[in-house]
Amino acid sequence: MRIDNPKLISALPDLGIELRNGSALSELTSLGIGGTTDLLRIKKHEGIPDLLNLLDSNGVPHRFLGGGSNLLVGDGELPWVVVQLARPEPDVVLEGNLARVDAAADLGGMEGLIGVPGTVGGALRMNAGAYGMQIGTYVREVKLYRAAARKIEILRGDQISFEYRHTSFAPDDMMLAVTLELPSKPFKEILQGIRICNEKRRSSQPLGQKSAGCIFKNPPGASAGRMIDELGLKGSNVGDARVSDRHANFFVNAGTASAKDMLTLIGQVHEKVRASFGVELENEVVFWTV
Ligand SMILES: Cc1cc2nc3c(=O)[nH]c(=O)nc-3n(C[C@H](O)[C@H](O)[C@H](O)COP(=O)(O)OP(=O)(O)OC[C@H]3O[C@@H](n4cnc5c(N)ncnc54)[C@H](O)[C@@H]3O)c2cc1C
């Protein structure tokens, strides 16, 4: 979608918004799949309420993009624009055990979450987690744009529910910054934790290939990857969309896969798991295909 209203375009600089015309989402997502649209980069949080009001009143739909590491984006010209936080300097301020982190910051610092790509905003939205840890555990407060109130507010951690890859934020809330309360630990222990988690990732995930992490959530008490593996589906493909040989719940773009290829492959695997195990797998990856 292209923003062509001159009044809207001329209002953007004062709101601290940079307009990048015709951005290819295939270049902004870890799967390397996705069509084209206008990208609005936010350089100051205060401009967000006015920006979103302007988009609404001009009938311009929008989606929030973080690091693009958990997204499957549709092909061709996209019917919405993308809004993304620019990364400020500094993006992390440490005070004792508290880390104040801008939502555009790249994630780091928690052993299990080392190696999860993307921004802190995306990690909050998804309640990103790995190896028994999840970011929600450490959230003391979140600064966010609340779509219902149309203003920027602060929520305490205990006002937010964090579940397995699910949070109680409204779909059109935008996370702007977070304060994390991190436990004190001996440095050696932290380093050891990071090493172990890194090693687990390296030995089990196709890190050199384009993916969006796990395609499906694990059903309660079961592993989506194990079920897909047991069906012998590692390596199966639709065009360049392929079930990874290393990790059956990672689907990779082995070349120039389209969203259509990836959706077809996901649909086929979903159906085979349902037919063999009677389990309805739920997507972990967020689909921006409609
Ligand atoms: C190799 C690889 C390994 C991975 N391993 C893991 C893992 O171990 N554990 C795990 O949990 N995930 C994993 N992932 C998935 C992904 O990294 C996480 O879900 C990550 O938290 C997504 O962050 P992002 O900034 O890239 O979000 P995006 O992919 O850009 O967006 C994901 C969702 O969050 C929303 N969003 C993003 N930023 C904001 C914001 N500021 N405000 C409101 N909504 C926002 C988007 O609208 C979208 O709905 C992996 C991905 C890859 C490629």
Side-chain angles (χ1 to χ4, degrees), residues 126 164-166 214-219 222-224 249 281-285:
M126 302 304 304
Y164 173 53
R165 304 298 174 270
H166 180 79
C214 289
I215 289 287
F216 299 110
K217 292 183 187 179
N218 287 322
S223 156
N249 200 11
L281 289 177
E282 226 185 286
N283 300 323
E284 177 165 335
V285 163

